[in-house]
Amino acid sequence: MRLSIAAAVATFSSAILLHPLFEGGGWFWGSLGAVVAVLLASLVSGRLSLPSWAALPVSALALGLYLNVSFAAEEAWALFVPTTDSVLEVARLLATGWADIQRYAAPVPANEAITLLTTGGVGLIAIVVDLFATRLRQAALAGLPLLALVTVPATILTEPLSWPAFVIAALGFTGLLLADGRERVGQWGRAVLVRRTRTTSADLRPGATADTRGLRLSGKRIGFAAIAVAVTVPALMPAMEPVSFFTFGVGGSGAGRGNSISIPDPIANLKGRLELPEPRVVLTYANSDNTPRYLRIYSLDTFDGDQFGMTQPEGAPENRTDNGPLPPPPGLGGGVQLNNVRTSITISDQITKLSFLPLPYPPRQIRVDGDWRADVSTLMVFSTRDEAAGLEYEVATSEPAPTARVLDSSPTTRQGIDERYLALPDDLPQEITDLALDETRGARTPYQAAVRLQRFFTDTGGFAYSLRTQGHSSSALVDFLVRSRAGYCEQFAASMAVLARAVGIPSRVAIGYTGGTQIGGRWTVGTNDSHAWPELYFEGVGWLPFEPTPAGTLGQGSARVPEYTQPQPEATADPSSPTPDETTGGDSEEEAGPQNRQNLRELDREALLADGGLPPEESTPLAAQIGIGAAAVLLVLLIPAAIRLVTRSRRIRTLGWKVSRPADEVTAKVVAGRHTAVAAAWAELDDALHDYGMAREPSETPRRLARRLTEQYEFPAEAAVAVTTIASAVERVLYAREPGEIPPMGGELRTVRRALAATVSRARRVRAVLLPPSTMRRLRRLGEGVLDGFDRLENIRLRRTAAQKGA
């Protein structure tokens, strides 16, 4: 019974580490119920003395019944007995939960499906732990499934595990080991080490269990000391490797190895990077025209009704970057002015698992070390062997600079554009399609429709920038477009791309960074510049970025509206079409450039921090980190000395008590004060003796102690008088009816301390100051008192059990 309870407690203690992965507490109570169900099954199996092979299916059956009642009761018979429908419902929820947890980034919404998946997982861990600890009697091996449970948040989260949660999990496992040790030692016979207990006749009766409290004390000391070291030492030691702050997908995924690359979830951690309390530098760049540009990493081309995804990129050997120019940009014709720009980019070495290069679009030639290849259809550049962290590379781009007139006259027929850029799910809510048609009514060309859609988000639609959003789904898309109209760049980009497809404009979503902030001649891009934007296709020009996300202080600080979305008046042939002021909010083409540059300076809070030149996270020199760690360790080691100094100062303040009154005038307050002063002097003398290795014998009276110190250490006359005065005062206060005059004893104590220090070595004197044994003794007693508390709790339970057996 004890082992079953300890196994359940250890499992749930470790499950508490999962709390940063979820929103809400549904998973917590569900997991607690699963652990309790497995515990009850284990108790039943133990009561019936079932073999190990039979106890396992009993626990699995109990867990299955619990999941059935909790998540599929409506399909079960009498809300309890599983049926085919209830089993299918549980299986459906498990599949949905697995899909959801792959799509969302932590903290994931604790919906019913994810809660079921988590509850079932914790329940399975509880079964395995109980099997190892209770049935197979291998409590140490039970740490393996518990470790598997702990590694889930450790591998997914970029932040360190919460140390209070770690301590709780470690205490749970320590308790399991102690319970197992007690069961084993209890079979050996009577233990020799007995702490502060007396042998009674009850202990000597036949069948009495072994007294293992002494061994339990040693085990607890080791366990608690190990936990304390595991928590404090990593905090005091300097980090020897860069700390990862940038990962993609749930738990971070990046470059695969061999001939394939793992597809990341670019959107999953976008919000997390925007919500970092302080932005961190991701990369810096400089270009030939000193103009900020968006740097694209991913191109998302498929929409499943919930969110955009990315098709597996393909990089043939002939498309390696070191083979010369990249494939030509799709859709780019010969009648468009091109701006040829050369950009040098330096990636922070703290970015981990990034196998795609941040690049301005469209790249034409790249000089970079490693095996990097271009995807022909999207011009994403990736590697299956190398990572981008710490890279320095150059890229030449031929950026189209179309005017509004050129885009307005773009052909409506498209050659070679893949249909996936127009695909929408069949169950797309009609509200979205109607909204797209309403907002583009009157537009004669795809370009006019695109500009109206962008203006709908940035001006006429009443949208607001907010990081407080509710995930992805068609219902969330409708809520964003029709009701709340508040979100961050992901919602704006995906919504405009969907509306563009609804009116027949090919679209995709780009994930990367805005242009950043210029610092000292280079543009600095931080995590706060992480961004998503739509790219729309126009025949003869190719893919062009649009910007529906609000910019400036009320939106994405470094976002900028492209100049070609601000057409000239003559670009609109239809008199009923909106004027340039109506389309662009009043900015002419000549004014667009200065206005965009002004937008770069209207930075939000995070961009303002980046403008201060935030260094990389690991910019502190290693020598300085070691110095800080050493100083922290020194401060910890000086804690006993500080406690001793404070204790001595408090006692000295009470030694000025002086009483010389007739016996009939001595009040209770006077007596209490006199006793306090003498007790302080005696306690301080006792601690001084302990610090210098001259501890007082328990049977020594004050007078005998004074005589021994004077004779053994050959005190000078002054020190002999001082120690005799202290001893006499103590005896009179303790034993005399009228103690008489009690003089201040601060001077006497100082004299005795000097005499004691003169008799010992210098090393002993240093130890008495820095690591005073008297203080260490008190700390040790405090720890033993805490352990005694655990013993009392266990003894209460054992006595009740013995009483019940006797009854």
Side-chain angles (χ1 to χ4, degrees), residues 41-96:
S42 176
L43 295 177
V44 170
S45 300
R47 187 73 174 179
L48 299 178
S49 300
L50 297 179
S52 300
W53 63 267
L56 184 61
V58 171
S59 298
L61 177 62
L63 178 61
L65 290 176
Y66 171 74
L67 297 178
N68 182 77
V69 171
S70 301
F71 298 94
E74 295 181 357
E75 285 76 15
W77 182 75
L79 302 178
F80 178 77
V81 180
T83 63
T84 302
D85 292 339
S86 66
V87 172
L88 292 177
E89 175 65 13
V90 171
R92 184 190 67 81
L93 287 176
L94 287 174
T96 303

Short mmCIF file of all heavy atoms in Angstrom, two decimals, residues 41-96:
data_model
loop_
_atom_site.label_atom_id
_atom_site.label_comp_id
_atom_site.label_asym_id
_atom_site.label_seq_id
_atom_site.Cartn_x
_atom_site.Cartn_y
_atom_site.Cartn_z
N ALA A 41 -6.61 1.02 -8.66
CA ALA A 41 -6.42 -0.29 -9.28
C ALA A 41 -5.23 -1.01 -8.66
O ALA A 41 -5.28 -2.24 -8.43
CB ALA A 41 -6.22 -0.14 -10.79
N SER A 42 -4.16 -0.29 -8.37
CA SER A 42 -2.99 -0.90 -7.74
C SER A 42 -3.32 -1.41 -6.34
O SER A 42 -2.88 -2.50 -5.94
CB SER A 42 -1.85 0.11 -7.68
OG SER A 42 -0.73 -0.41 -7.00
N LEU A 43 -4.09 -0.63 -5.57
CA LEU A 43 -4.48 -1.07 -4.22
C LEU A 43 -5.34 -2.32 -4.28
O LEU A 43 -5.19 -3.24 -3.46
CB LEU A 43 -5.21 0.06 -3.50
CG LEU A 43 -4.38 1.31 -3.21
CD1 LEU A 43 -5.25 2.38 -2.55
CD2 LEU A 43 -3.19 0.99 -2.32
N VAL A 44 -6.24 -2.38 -5.25
CA VAL A 44 -7.09 -3.56 -5.40
C VAL A 44 -6.24 -4.77 -5.76
O VAL A 44 -6.41 -5.88 -5.23
CB VAL A 44 -8.18 -3.30 -6.46
CG1 VAL A 44 -8.91 -4.61 -6.79
CG2 VAL A 44 -9.17 -2.27 -5.96
N SER A 45 -5.29 -4.58 -6.69
CA SER A 45 -4.43 -5.70 -7.09
C SER A 45 -3.59 -6.19 -5.93
O SER A 45 -3.39 -7.40 -5.74
CB SER A 45 -3.51 -5.26 -8.24
OG SER A 45 -4.27 -4.86 -9.37
N GLY A 46 -3.09 -5.26 -5.11
CA GLY A 46 -2.33 -5.67 -3.94
C GLY A 46 -3.18 -6.37 -2.92
O GLY A 46 -2.74 -7.34 -2.28
N ARG A 47 -4.40 -5.88 -2.74
CA ARG A 47 -5.30 -6.51 -1.76
C ARG A 47 -5.64 -7.94 -2.17
O ARG A 47 -5.73 -8.84 -1.31
CB ARG A 47 -6.58 -5.69 -1.66
CG ARG A 47 -7.53 -6.13 -0.58
CD ARG A 47 -6.99 -5.75 0.77
NE ARG A 47 -7.95 -6.05 1.84
CZ ARG A 47 -7.73 -5.83 3.12
NH1 ARG A 47 -6.57 -5.30 3.49
NH2 ARG A 47 -8.65 -6.13 4.03
N LEU A 48 -5.80 -8.16 -3.47
CA LEU A 48 -6.14 -9.50 -3.96
C LEU A 48 -4.90 -10.35 -4.23
O LEU A 48 -5.04 -11.50 -4.68
CB LEU A 48 -6.98 -9.38 -5.24
CG LEU A 48 -8.31 -8.65 -5.10
CD1 LEU A 48 -9.00 -8.55 -6.45
CD2 LEU A 48 -9.22 -9.34 -4.09
N SER A 49 -3.70 -9.76 -4.00
CA SER A 49 -2.44 -10.48 -4.23
C SER A 49 -2.34 -11.00 -5.66
O SER A 49 -1.93 -12.15 -5.91
CB SER A 49 -2.28 -11.63 -3.23
OG SER A 49 -2.27 -11.14 -1.90
N LEU A 50 -2.71 -10.15 -6.63
CA LEU A 50 -2.64 -10.55 -8.02
C LEU A 50 -1.18 -10.57 -8.49
O LEU A 50 -0.37 -9.77 -8.04
CB LEU A 50 -3.43 -9.58 -8.90
CG LEU A 50 -4.94 -9.51 -8.64
CD1 LEU A 50 -5.57 -8.49 -9.58
CD2 LEU A 50 -5.58 -10.87 -8.84
N PRO A 51 -0.84 -11.47 -9.40
CA PRO A 51 0.53 -11.46 -9.94
C PRO A 51 0.77 -10.22 -10.79
O PRO A 51 -0.17 -9.52 -11.18
CB PRO A 51 0.58 -12.75 -10.78
CG PRO A 51 -0.85 -13.05 -11.10
CD PRO A 51 -1.67 -12.57 -9.93
N SER A 52 2.03 -9.98 -11.08
CA SER A 52 2.39 -8.77 -11.80
C SER A 52 1.73 -8.71 -13.17
O SER A 52 1.26 -7.65 -13.61
CB SER A 52 3.91 -8.68 -11.96
OG SER A 52 4.55 -8.66 -10.70
N TRP A 53 1.67 -9.84 -13.87
CA TRP A 53 1.10 -9.84 -15.20
C TRP A 53 -0.39 -9.53 -15.18
O TRP A 53 -0.95 -9.00 -16.15
CB TRP A 53 1.33 -11.18 -15.89
CG TRP A 53 0.66 -12.35 -15.20
CD1 TRP A 53 1.20 -13.17 -14.27
CD2 TRP A 53 -0.68 -12.81 -15.40
NE1 TRP A 53 0.30 -14.11 -13.85
CE2 TRP A 53 -0.87 -13.91 -14.53
CE3 TRP A 53 -1.73 -12.39 -16.20
CZ2 TRP A 53 -2.07 -14.60 -14.46
CZ3 TRP A 53 -2.93 -13.08 -16.15
CH2 TRP A 53 -3.10 -14.17 -15.28
N ALA A 54 -1.07 -9.83 -14.07
CA ALA A 54 -2.50 -9.55 -13.96
C ALA A 54 -2.76 -8.13 -13.47
O ALA A 54 -3.79 -7.53 -13.79
CB ALA A 54 -3.16 -10.56 -13.03
N ALA A 55 -1.85 -7.57 -12.68
CA ALA A 55 -2.05 -6.22 -12.16
C ALA A 55 -2.00 -5.18 -13.28
O ALA A 55 -2.70 -4.17 -13.22
CB ALA A 55 -0.99 -5.90 -11.10
N LEU A 56 -1.20 -5.45 -14.31
CA LEU A 56 -1.07 -4.48 -15.40
C LEU A 56 -2.39 -4.28 -16.15
O LEU A 56 -2.82 -3.13 -16.33
CB LEU A 56 0.05 -4.92 -16.36
CG LEU A 56 0.38 -3.97 -17.49
CD1 LEU A 56 0.86 -2.64 -16.94
CD2 LEU A 56 1.44 -4.57 -18.40
N PRO A 57 -3.07 -5.33 -16.61
CA PRO A 57 -4.36 -5.10 -17.28
C PRO A 57 -5.41 -4.51 -16.36
O PRO A 57 -6.29 -3.79 -16.83
CB PRO A 57 -4.75 -6.49 -17.79
CG PRO A 57 -3.93 -7.45 -17.01
CD PRO A 57 -2.67 -6.75 -16.68
N VAL A 58 -5.35 -4.80 -15.05
CA VAL A 58 -6.31 -4.19 -14.13
C VAL A 58 -6.13 -2.67 -14.10
O VAL A 58 -7.10 -1.90 -14.15
CB VAL A 58 -6.15 -4.79 -12.72
CG1 VAL A 58 -6.99 -4.01 -11.71
CG2 VAL A 58 -6.58 -6.25 -12.72
N SER A 59 -4.88 -2.21 -14.04
CA SER A 59 -4.62 -0.77 -14.05
C SER A 59 -5.03 -0.16 -15.38
O SER A 59 -5.61 0.95 -15.42
CB SER A 59 -3.14 -0.50 -13.77
OG SER A 59 -2.77 -0.97 -12.50
N ALA A 60 -4.73 -0.84 -16.49
CA ALA A 60 -5.12 -0.33 -17.80
C ALA A 60 -6.64 -0.24 -17.92
O ALA A 60 -7.18 0.72 -18.49
CB ALA A 60 -4.54 -1.20 -18.91
N LEU A 61 -7.34 -1.25 -17.38
CA LEU A 61 -8.81 -1.22 -17.42
C LEU A 61 -9.35 -0.05 -16.60
O LEU A 61 -10.27 0.65 -17.03
CB LEU A 61 -9.36 -2.54 -16.90
CG LEU A 61 -10.89 -2.64 -16.81
CD1 LEU A 61 -11.52 -2.50 -18.18
CD2 LEU A 61 -11.30 -3.98 -16.16
N ALA A 62 -8.77 0.19 -15.44
CA ALA A 62 -9.21 1.30 -14.60
C ALA A 62 -8.99 2.63 -15.31
O ALA A 62 -9.85 3.52 -15.28
CB ALA A 62 -8.47 1.28 -13.26
N LEU A 63 -7.85 2.78 -15.96
CA LEU A 63 -7.58 4.02 -16.70
C LEU A 63 -8.56 4.18 -17.86
O LEU A 63 -9.08 5.28 -18.10
CB LEU A 63 -6.14 4.02 -17.21
CG LEU A 63 -5.72 5.24 -18.05
CD1 LEU A 63 -5.84 6.53 -17.24
CD2 LEU A 63 -4.30 5.07 -18.58
N GLY A 64 -8.81 3.09 -18.58
CA GLY A 64 -9.77 3.16 -19.68
C GLY A 64 -11.16 3.55 -19.23
O GLY A 64 -11.85 4.36 -19.87
N LEU A 65 -11.61 2.98 -18.11
CA LEU A 65 -12.93 3.34 -17.58
C LEU A 65 -12.97 4.81 -17.17
O LEU A 65 -13.96 5.51 -17.41
CB LEU A 65 -13.26 2.45 -16.39
CG LEU A 65 -13.56 0.98 -16.70
CD1 LEU A 65 -13.77 0.20 -15.41
CD2 LEU A 65 -14.79 0.86 -17.60
N TYR A 66 -11.89 5.28 -16.57
CA TYR A 66 -11.85 6.69 -16.17
C TYR A 66 -11.93 7.62 -17.38
O TYR A 66 -12.68 8.60 -17.38
CB TYR A 66 -10.58 6.96 -15.39
CG TYR A 66 -10.35 8.43 -15.13
CD1 TYR A 66 -11.10 9.12 -14.19
CD2 TYR A 66 -9.40 9.13 -15.87
CE1 TYR A 66 -10.90 10.48 -13.97
CE2 TYR A 66 -9.19 10.48 -15.66
CZ TYR A 66 -9.95 11.16 -14.70
OH TYR A 66 -9.75 12.50 -14.50
N LEU A 67 -11.16 7.31 -18.43
CA LEU A 67 -11.22 8.14 -19.64
C LEU A 67 -12.59 8.06 -20.29
O LEU A 67 -13.11 9.07 -20.81
CB LEU A 67 -10.14 7.70 -20.62
CG LEU A 67 -8.69 7.85 -20.16
CD1 LEU A 67 -7.73 7.33 -21.22
CD2 LEU A 67 -8.37 9.30 -19.83
N ASN A 68 -13.19 6.89 -20.27
CA ASN A 68 -14.51 6.72 -20.85
C ASN A 68 -15.55 7.57 -20.12
O ASN A 68 -16.38 8.25 -20.74
CB ASN A 68 -14.91 5.24 -20.82
CG ASN A 68 -16.26 4.98 -21.45
OD1 ASN A 68 -16.39 4.97 -22.67
ND2 ASN A 68 -17.28 4.79 -20.62
N VAL A 69 -15.51 7.55 -18.79
CA VAL A 69 -16.47 8.32 -17.99
C VAL A 69 -16.23 9.82 -18.14
O VAL A 69 -17.16 10.62 -18.21
CB VAL A 69 -16.40 7.90 -16.51
CG1 VAL A 69 -17.23 8.82 -15.64
CG2 VAL A 69 -16.86 6.46 -16.36
N SER A 70 -14.97 10.22 -18.20
CA SER A 70 -14.63 11.64 -18.21
C SER A 70 -14.85 12.30 -19.55
O SER A 70 -15.21 13.48 -19.61
CB SER A 70 -13.17 11.83 -17.77
OG SER A 70 -12.96 11.31 -16.48
N PHE A 71 -14.66 11.56 -20.66
CA PHE A 71 -14.67 12.21 -21.96
C PHE A 71 -15.71 11.65 -22.93
O PHE A 71 -15.91 12.24 -23.99
CB PHE A 71 -13.28 12.08 -22.60
CG PHE A 71 -12.20 12.77 -21.81
CD1 PHE A 71 -11.44 12.07 -20.89
CD2 PHE A 71 -11.96 14.12 -21.98
CE1 PHE A 71 -10.44 12.70 -20.17
CE2 PHE A 71 -10.97 14.76 -21.26
CZ PHE A 71 -10.21 14.05 -20.35
N ALA A 72 -16.33 10.53 -22.61
CA ALA A 72 -17.32 9.95 -23.53
C ALA A 72 -18.50 9.37 -22.77
O ALA A 72 -19.06 8.35 -23.18
CB ALA A 72 -16.66 8.89 -24.42
N ALA A 73 -18.87 10.02 -21.68
CA ALA A 73 -19.95 9.46 -20.85
C ALA A 73 -21.28 9.45 -21.59
O ALA A 73 -22.11 8.56 -21.37
CB ALA A 73 -20.06 10.28 -19.55
N GLU A 74 -21.51 10.43 -22.45
CA GLU A 74 -22.80 10.49 -23.15
C GLU A 74 -22.99 9.31 -24.10
O GLU A 74 -24.13 8.92 -24.38
CB GLU A 74 -22.90 11.80 -23.91
CG GLU A 74 -22.92 13.03 -23.01
CD GLU A 74 -23.03 14.31 -23.80
OE1 GLU A 74 -23.04 14.23 -25.05
OE2 GLU A 74 -23.11 15.40 -23.19
N GLU A 75 -21.90 8.79 -24.64
CA GLU A 75 -22.00 7.64 -25.54
C GLU A 75 -21.93 6.32 -24.80
O GLU A 75 -22.13 5.26 -25.40
CB GLU A 75 -20.87 7.69 -26.59
CG GLU A 75 -21.07 8.72 -27.69
CD GLU A 75 -20.78 10.12 -27.21
OE1 GLU A 75 -20.15 10.25 -26.14
OE2 GLU A 75 -21.17 11.09 -27.88
N ALA A 76 -21.59 6.33 -23.50
CA ALA A 76 -21.48 5.10 -22.72
C ALA A 76 -22.85 4.68 -22.18
O ALA A 76 -23.76 5.51 -22.02
CB ALA A 76 -20.50 5.29 -21.56
N TRP A 77 -22.97 3.40 -21.89
CA TRP A 77 -24.21 2.89 -21.32
C TRP A 77 -24.25 3.23 -19.83
O TRP A 77 -23.31 2.94 -19.09
CB TRP A 77 -24.29 1.37 -21.53
CG TRP A 77 -25.57 0.78 -21.02
CD1 TRP A 77 -26.80 0.86 -21.57
CD2 TRP A 77 -25.73 0.02 -19.81
NE1 TRP A 77 -27.73 0.22 -20.82
CE2 TRP A 77 -27.11 -0.32 -19.72
CE3 TRP A 77 -24.86 -0.38 -18.81
CZ2 TRP A 77 -27.61 -1.06 -18.66
CZ3 TRP A 77 -25.37 -1.13 -17.76
CH2 TRP A 77 -26.73 -1.46 -17.69
N ALA A 78 -25.33 3.85 -19.40
CA ALA A 78 -25.49 4.28 -18.02
C ALA A 78 -24.35 5.21 -17.59
O ALA A 78 -23.99 5.26 -16.42
CB ALA A 78 -25.58 3.08 -17.07
N LEU A 79 -23.80 5.95 -18.55
CA LEU A 79 -22.73 6.93 -18.32
C LEU A 79 -21.44 6.30 -17.79
O LEU A 79 -20.52 7.02 -17.38
CB LEU A 79 -23.18 8.03 -17.34
CG LEU A 79 -24.41 8.84 -17.74
CD1 LEU A 79 -24.74 9.85 -16.64
CD2 LEU A 79 -24.20 9.53 -19.07
N PHE A 80 -21.35 4.98 -17.83
CA PHE A 80 -20.19 4.32 -17.22
C PHE A 80 -19.65 3.19 -18.08
O PHE A 80 -18.45 3.15 -18.35
CB PHE A 80 -20.57 3.80 -15.83
CG PHE A 80 -19.46 3.05 -15.14
CD1 PHE A 80 -18.41 3.75 -14.55
CD2 PHE A 80 -19.44 1.66 -15.10
CE1 PHE A 80 -17.36 3.09 -13.93
CE2 PHE A 80 -18.40 0.99 -14.47
CZ PHE A 80 -17.36 1.71 -13.89
N VAL A 81 -20.49 2.28 -18.50
CA VAL A 81 -20.05 1.09 -19.23
C VAL A 81 -19.68 1.48 -20.66
O VAL A 81 -20.46 2.10 -21.37
CB VAL A 81 -21.15 0.02 -19.26
CG1 VAL A 81 -20.68 -1.22 -20.02
CG2 VAL A 81 -21.57 -0.35 -17.84
N PRO A 82 -18.46 1.16 -21.08
CA PRO A 82 -18.03 1.53 -22.44
C PRO A 82 -18.88 0.85 -23.50
O PRO A 82 -19.31 -0.30 -23.35
CB PRO A 82 -16.58 1.05 -22.50
CG PRO A 82 -16.15 0.92 -21.07
CD PRO A 82 -17.37 0.52 -20.31
N THR A 83 -19.12 1.56 -24.57
CA THR A 83 -19.80 1.03 -25.74
C THR A 83 -18.93 1.30 -26.97
O THR A 83 -17.91 1.97 -26.89
CB THR A 83 -21.18 1.68 -25.93
OG1 THR A 83 -20.99 3.09 -26.15
CG2 THR A 83 -22.05 1.48 -24.69
N THR A 84 -19.38 0.78 -28.10
CA THR A 84 -18.62 1.02 -29.33
C THR A 84 -18.54 2.51 -29.63
O THR A 84 -17.50 3.04 -30.02
CB THR A 84 -19.27 0.28 -30.50
OG1 THR A 84 -19.32 -1.12 -30.21
CG2 THR A 84 -18.49 0.50 -31.78
N ASP A 85 -19.65 3.23 -29.41
CA ASP A 85 -19.66 4.66 -29.69
C ASP A 85 -18.72 5.42 -28.75
O ASP A 85 -18.04 6.36 -29.18
CB ASP A 85 -21.09 5.20 -29.54
CG ASP A 85 -22.01 4.68 -30.63
OD1 ASP A 85 -21.49 4.25 -31.69
OD2 ASP A 85 -23.24 4.69 -30.44
N SER A 86 -18.70 5.03 -27.48
CA SER A 86 -17.83 5.74 -26.55
C SER A 86 -16.36 5.49 -26.85
O SER A 86 -15.52 6.40 -26.76
CB SER A 86 -18.15 5.33 -25.11
OG SER A 86 -17.82 3.97 -24.87
N VAL A 87 -16.03 4.25 -27.25
CA VAL A 87 -14.64 3.94 -27.61
C VAL A 87 -14.23 4.72 -28.85
O VAL A 87 -13.12 5.28 -28.92
CB VAL A 87 -14.46 2.43 -27.82
CG1 VAL A 87 -13.08 2.12 -28.37
CG2 VAL A 87 -14.68 1.68 -26.51
N LEU A 88 -15.13 4.79 -29.83
CA LEU A 88 -14.82 5.56 -31.04
C LEU A 88 -14.68 7.05 -30.73
O LEU A 88 -13.84 7.74 -31.32
CB LEU A 88 -15.91 5.33 -32.09
CG LEU A 88 -15.97 3.92 -32.70
CD1 LEU A 88 -17.14 3.81 -33.67
CD2 LEU A 88 -14.67 3.58 -33.40
N GLU A 89 -15.48 7.54 -29.81
CA GLU A 89 -15.38 8.95 -29.44
C GLU A 89 -14.04 9.24 -28.76
O GLU A 89 -13.40 10.27 -29.04
CB GLU A 89 -16.54 9.32 -28.50
CG GLU A 89 -16.48 10.74 -27.95
CD GLU A 89 -16.63 11.80 -29.01
OE1 GLU A 89 -17.02 11.46 -30.16
OE2 GLU A 89 -16.35 12.99 -28.71
N VAL A 90 -13.61 8.35 -27.88
CA VAL A 90 -12.30 8.54 -27.25
C VAL A 90 -11.19 8.49 -28.29
O VAL A 90 -10.25 9.31 -28.27
CB VAL A 90 -12.08 7.47 -26.16
CG1 VAL A 90 -10.64 7.50 -25.66
CG2 VAL A 90 -13.04 7.68 -25.00
N ALA A 91 -11.29 7.56 -29.24
CA ALA A 91 -10.27 7.46 -30.29
C ALA A 91 -10.27 8.72 -31.16
O ALA A 91 -9.21 9.22 -31.55
CB ALA A 91 -10.52 6.22 -31.15
N ARG A 92 -11.45 9.25 -31.45
CA ARG A 92 -11.53 10.48 -32.26
C ARG A 92 -10.89 11.65 -31.54
O ARG A 92 -10.14 12.44 -32.13
CB ARG A 92 -12.99 10.79 -32.58
CG ARG A 92 -13.16 12.00 -33.50
CD ARG A 92 -14.62 12.41 -33.59
NE ARG A 92 -15.09 12.92 -32.31
CZ ARG A 92 -14.86 14.17 -31.89
NH1 ARG A 92 -14.16 15.01 -32.63
NH2 ARG A 92 -15.34 14.57 -30.73
N LEU A 93 -11.18 11.77 -30.25
CA LEU A 93 -10.59 12.86 -29.48
C LEU A 93 -9.07 12.72 -29.39
O LEU A 93 -8.35 13.72 -29.43
CB LEU A 93 -11.21 12.90 -28.08
CG LEU A 93 -12.65 13.41 -27.99
CD1 LEU A 93 -13.16 13.29 -26.56
CD2 LEU A 93 -12.73 14.86 -28.44
N LEU A 94 -8.59 11.47 -29.25
CA LEU A 94 -7.15 11.27 -29.21
C LEU A 94 -6.49 11.71 -30.52
O LEU A 94 -5.43 12.38 -30.51
CB LEU A 94 -6.82 9.81 -28.93
CG LEU A 94 -7.07 9.31 -27.50
CD1 LEU A 94 -6.85 7.81 -27.42
CD2 LEU A 94 -6.15 10.02 -26.51
N ALA A 95 -7.09 11.37 -31.64
CA ALA A 95 -6.54 11.78 -32.94
C ALA A 95 -6.57 13.29 -33.09
O ALA A 95 -5.62 13.91 -33.58
CB ALA A 95 -7.31 11.10 -34.07
N THR A 96 -7.69 13.90 -32.66
CA THR A 96 -7.78 15.36 -32.75
C THR A 96 -6.77 16.03 -31.85
O THR A 96 -6.11 17.01 -32.22
CB THR A 96 -9.20 15.82 -32.36
OG1 THR A 96 -10.16 15.17 -33.21
CG2 THR A 96 -9.33 17.33 -32.48
#
